[in-house]
Amino acid sequence: MIYGVISDIHSNLEALNAVLLQMGSVERILCLGDIVGYGPNPNECVEIIRDKKALCVAGNHDKAVLGEIDMSHFPQDGQEAVIWTLSEMKKKNLDFLKSLPLEIRQDDFIGVHGSLKNQLHEYITSVRESVPTFDIMDKTLCFVGHSHRPFIIQKDIKGDYDADVLKDGQEVDISNIYKAIINSGSVGQPRDGDPRASFCLYDSGKRIVKIKKVDYDIVSVQDKMKKAGLSSDLIEILSTGG
Ligand code: ZN
């Protein structure tokens, strides 16, 4: 089966549409959470994910909008974006967010927003941070989001680790890998220095993961964010990619 793996859309409709166009006809979309928060189109993004019948988990921003987690540790602009998002969202779309699980298991992978140890909050950005998740991973692959940076961390059968940034167009052959944690990057708010929307394709038959980056109309999103009164830092980060 061919999966389109996306994460951290953050209410960025232009980026999501550009990714879906570039993705082409995949058989299933896997969405790793944070559909909302930061950007100007939360309802539209939720409706697309629901209509596409994506396999989807909840992220910390989705849960913050639902009032299910304490967001006092969020930066000020993140908190303001959550409050603005809640004021905009239709009840049926909040109900969809409420229905999302914290983990998805399918084929040879698990999907989660943060980590398997702490699904909503823990970042995996280094080998050290990956160890607790590898320790409880009972599938070959774990797709994660949350850090907004594309990467792969591998663990071999001897227990040695290897970490790599994933670049546009890069392919990873999973067939000889013992276990791997893969981050597809962020659709709607990249933070790896590349402002293009990021996603990956996973062919579970050929066992190939391929990272892709795609340009989208950043200025249109920024204009909508200005009109909505969202913070200038959140607007600026779309141009710089972090
Ligand atoms: Zn996020």
Side-chain angles (χ1 to χ4, degrees), residues 157-173:
I157 192 102
K158 290 181 278 179
D160 292 330
Y161 297 88
D162 191 24
D164 247 325
V165 169
L166 290 172
K167 302 235 167 59
D168 183 28
Q170 191 171 339
E171 285 191 2
V172 182
D173 182 352

Side-chain angles (χ1 to χ4, degrees), residues 218-237:
I218 292 174
V219 173
S220 283
V221 183
Q222 290 172 318
D223 286 345
K224 285 192 270 183
M225 289 173 78
K226 277 178 207 154
K227 283 190 190 120
L230 291 159
S231 99
S232 54
D233 285 354
L234 293 179
I235 294 169
E236 180 58 23
I237 197 174

